[in-house]
């Protein structure tokens, strides 16, 4: 006997997020780090900052830390990020 | 009843040969929790929607971080899969409304490595209507209603929020409550106020409370009739959680079965008295971390006091469990105060403005 069943998944996708235009070069640019504040991020971002400055010529690196590591970045960080040319985030433990 | 006037269901349809083929379809697509599911047929899903008087496209809410809309139809499909009867469905929709409040932080709760389930606590007349058992084997496989409702929450997370292990769900270690984690309060077996009333819902209304919760930690103290000594055992378990898991304060639940509850009640203690005692006793010095191998993070604050609760209001005291045995349970929160328990009345609009004038 044929059983007719329904798809249990969302099917409706969440509204898409359009990625920002990627810079062709980071030379002379400002890059922001949005850290979740966890212990392991310090070493990671320290090394990344060195690489960005020395190897890619980044002019300025700005560090910001979320107030809640499990929640989206605070509004003031998002506002500030509009001034950056690129941001690095989504780094976990 | 909406009946024949109900808008048509819009979900994609699959025709499969038989029950076994339906299971394979769902398992191969990772649409289950690993257990067999009830095939969500149109008739079964429509029965849930009719019971709740909801059209299929009714928006239950939008998950605030990923902006994922959750509709009644999709929740009903997952509820049927979990084994829910139509009468269970309004509890599932209300729990989801509560879970999507900002303060619950659903995305963090379901994506964290920290490994929590979502505990659903049911209060009010609906418990009796659905045959929820708040006594023997509470927190376990105590009855059909709580088992199916708790499972519906998880299946909907899997299918509507992509909370699959290794996907959105980054949990290091889960616990059995991530299959189903639902509890009814034994309101008939206590003089205490129901949890929902303690949290602001008018008495007589049915309600659900959702909490991001670790596995229950069971305690035993059958050797005293002093409420303080009984509650000291609960507090000690909370201190142990602070030392071993997270030191930070948040919503803890304690489940007090009848044997211990009767002693505490007979001494004249209310739930508020219990919460105030626990608030005072469940706290540790930061320096205690050094006793359990975490000396590296004590730093220069060994004498800082961390309370398990930010205030007595943050303790969820629940009357439930079998009639005999000096047992109880402490249910710790996921990561302190980053999430807050949310209580919502069933059949009420959680985001509606009160009528003007």
């Amino acid at each position: 006997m044929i059983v007719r069943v329904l798809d249990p998944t969302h099917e409706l996708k969440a509204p898409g997020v359009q990625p920002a235009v990627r810079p062709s070069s980071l030379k002379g640019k400002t890059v922001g780090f949005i850290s979740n504040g966890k212990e392991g991020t310090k070493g990671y971002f320290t090394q990344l900052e060195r690489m960005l400055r020395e190897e890619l010529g980044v002019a300025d690196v700005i560090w910001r830390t979320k107030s809640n590591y499990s929640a989206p970045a605070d509004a003031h960080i998002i506002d500030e990020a509009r001034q950056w040319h690129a941001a690095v985030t989504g780094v976990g433990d | 009843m909406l009946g024949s006037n109900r808008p048509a269901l819009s979900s994609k349809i699959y025709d499969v040969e038989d029950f076994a083929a339906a299971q394979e379809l769902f398992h191969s697509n990772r649409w289950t929790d690993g257990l067999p599911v009830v095939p969500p047929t149109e008739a079964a899903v429509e029965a849930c929607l009719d019971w709740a008087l909801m059209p299929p496209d009714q928006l239950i809410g939008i998950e605030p971080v990923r902006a994922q809309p959750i509709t009644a139809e999709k929740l009903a499909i997952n509820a049927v899969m979990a084994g829910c009867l139509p009468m269970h469905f309004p509890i599932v929709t209300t729990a989801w409304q509560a879970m999507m409040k900002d303060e619950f932080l659903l995305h963090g709760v379901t994506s964290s490595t920290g490994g929590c389930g979502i505990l659903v606590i049911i209060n009010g007349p609906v418990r009796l209507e659905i045959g929820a058992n708040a006594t023997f084997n509470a927190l376990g496989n105590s009855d059909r209603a709580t088992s199916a409702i708790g499972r519906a929450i998880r299946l909907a997370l899997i299918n509507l929020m992509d909370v699959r292990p290794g996907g959105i769900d980054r949990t290091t270690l889960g616990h059995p409550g991530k299959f189903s984690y639902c509890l009814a309060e034994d309101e008939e077996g206590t003089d205490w106020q129901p949890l929902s009333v303690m949290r602001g819902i008018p008495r007589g209304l049915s309600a659900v409370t959702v909490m991001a919760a670790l596995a229950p930690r069971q305690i035993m103290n059958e050797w005293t009739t002093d409420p303080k000594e009984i509650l000291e055992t609960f507090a000690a378990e909370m201190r142990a959680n602070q030392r071993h898991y997270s030191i930070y304060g948040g919503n803890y639940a304690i489940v007090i079965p009848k044997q211990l509850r009767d002693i505490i009640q007979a001494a004249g203690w209310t739930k508020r008295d219990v919460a105030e005692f626990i608030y005072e006793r469940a706290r540790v010095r930061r320096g205690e971390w050094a006793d359990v191998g975490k000396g590296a993070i004590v730093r220069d604050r060994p004498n800082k006091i961390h309370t398990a609760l930010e205030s007595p209001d943050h303790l969820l005291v629940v009357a439930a469990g079998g009639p005999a045995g000096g047992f109880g349970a402490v249910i710790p929160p996921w990561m302190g105060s980053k999430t807050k328990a949310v209580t919502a009345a069933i059949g009420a609009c959680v985001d509606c403005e009160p009528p003007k004038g």
Side-chain angles (χ1 to χ4, degrees):
Chain A
M1 185 188 77
I2 296 294
V3 181
R4 172 164 285 196
V5 294
L6 298 170
D7 188 327
T9 66
H10 42 74
E11 295 187 73
L12 288 172
K13 300 297 181 191
V17 176
Q18 191 68 33
V21 176
R22 271 40 185 160
S24 57
S25 165
L26 289 177
K27 189 174 177 58
K29 298 290 198 312
T30 298
V31 176
F33 293 164
I34 303 177
S35 169
N36 63 10
K38 289 201 172 186
E39 200 72 14
T41 59
K42 292 175 188 166
Y44 178 84
F45 280 133
T46 298
Q47 174 68 5
L48 186 62
E49 176 173 356
R50 188 193 64 74
M51 292 171 63
L52 289 173
R53 288 184 184 278
E54 294 179 5
E55 298 176 21
L56 298 176
V58 167
D60 202 9
V61 175
I62 296 170
W63 291 50
R64 293 292 177 264
T65 301
K66 298 194 297 180
S67 61
N68 179 344
Y69 55 65
S70 296
D74 311 72
H76 68 87
I77 298 178
I78 299 297
D79 284 344
E80 188 180 357
R82 299 181 206 286
Q83 310 305 315
W84 306 340
H85 296 102
V88 180
T89 186
V91 177
D93 292 63
Chain B
M1 304 289 278
L2 295 173
S4 58
N5 295 324
R6 180 197 328 98
L9 302 178
S10 62
S11 295
K12 187 174 179 181
I13 292 171
Y14 296 84
D15 287 329
V16 292
E17 287 187 3
D18 52 23
F19 179 86
Q23 300 307 313
E24 293 312 309
L25 173 71
F26 280 69
H27 282 289
S28 62
N29 281 294
R30 301 190 74 197
W31 293 342
T32 86
D33 51 9
L35 297 174
V37 295
V38 175
T41 62
E42 291 169 285
V45 170
E46 287 169 348
C48 283
L49 295 170
D50 282 354
W51 186 279
L53 298 174
M54 289 181 177
D57 60 354
Q58 179 159 328
L59 189 62
I60 303 302
I62 297 175
E63 192 282 322
V65 171
R66 292 166 56 204
Q68 183 69 52
I70 303 295
T71 64
E73 175 176 339
K74 289 299 186 182
L75 272 187
I77 292 171
N78 284 276
V80 168
M81 289 167 58
C84 284
L85 298 172
M87 68 172 72
H88 303 155
F89 185 54
I91 301 166
V92 175
T93 59
T94 307
W96 264 85
Q97 286 175 324
M99 287 157 52
M100 287 187 282
K101 301 292 279 184
D102 285 342
E103 61 267 35
F104 190 74
L105 192 56
L106 182 63
H107 180 66
V109 165
T110 53
S111 61
S112 171
T113 50
C116 68
I118 296 177
L119 174 65
V120 177
I121 304 166
I122 309 173
N123 280 111
V126 75
R127 294 166 306 115
L128 305 178
E129 295 162 11
I130 63 175
N133 168 32
T135 62
F136 290 107
N137 203 32
L139 285 172
N141 51 318
S142 55
D143 61 277
R144 179 181 190 177
T146 58
S147 296
I149 291 165
R151 190 184 182 205
I153 300 299
R154 178 57 47 182
L155 287 177
L157 284 170
I158 291 170
N159 289 317
L160 305 184
M161 295 305 302
D162 303 305
V163 179
R164 295 185 177 85
I168 292 293
D169 185 346
R170 312 302 294 179
T171 296
T172 309
L173 285 173
H175 65 76
K178 291 185 76 170
F179 279 100
S180 178
Y181 210 3
C182 182
L183 176 70
E185 184 157 30
D186 183 11
E187 297 180 24
E188 290 68 36
T190 182
D191 296 329
W192 280 341
Q193 284 196 322
L195 175 69
S196 55
V197 175
M198 297 291 293
R199 293 177 58 80
I201 303 295
R203 184 181 281 278
L205 290 186
S206 296
V208 295
T209 299
V210 293
M211 170 188 161
L214 300 183
R217 303 165 66 110
Q218 195 152 164
I219 62 96
M220 177 171 64
N221 187 347
E222 303 184 312
W223 304 282
T224 180
T225 55
D226 180 347
K228 290 183 178 178
E229 289 188 338
I230 292 169
L231 294 172
E232 187 63 36
T233 309
F234 284 89
E237 195 64 37
M238 292 167 65
R239 292 195 296 268
N241 184 70
Q242 286 185 277
R243 288 156 59 107
H244 307 157
Y245 181 75
S246 173
I247 203 168
Y248 299 106
N251 281 122
Y252 277 75
I254 62 170
V255 181
I256 311 181
K258 191 164 176 57
Q259 181 171 315
L260 295 182
R261 196 167 69 231
D262 282 353
I263 296 169
I264 299 168
Q265 287 184 157
W269 288 51
T270 64
K271 280 190 175 180
R272 181 71 192 179
D273 296 329
V274 169
E276 288 181 356
F277 180 86
I278 294 283
Y279 171 69
E280 293 297 331
R281 296 299 304 151
R283 51 184 65 194
V284 299
R285 273 191 326 109
R286 192 178 178 94
E288 292 181 40
W289 262 346
D291 302 336
V292 296
K294 302 184 183 181
I297 47 176
V298 173
R299 300 202 173 96
D300 59 347
R301 289 166 285 169
N303 293 318
K304 178 179 172 59
I305 299 296
H306 291 267
T307 59
L309 306 165
E310 291 183 337
S311 79
D313 294 335
H314 286 209
L315 184 66
L316 312 183
V317 182
V318 183
F327 303 101
V330 167
I331 302 179
W334 164 76
M335 297 297 167
S337 63
K338 295 188 185 305
T339 171
K340 298 284 192 300
V342 178
T343 301
I346 296 170
C349 177
V350 294
D351 286 319
C352 294
E353 295 290 326
K356 296 207 165 43

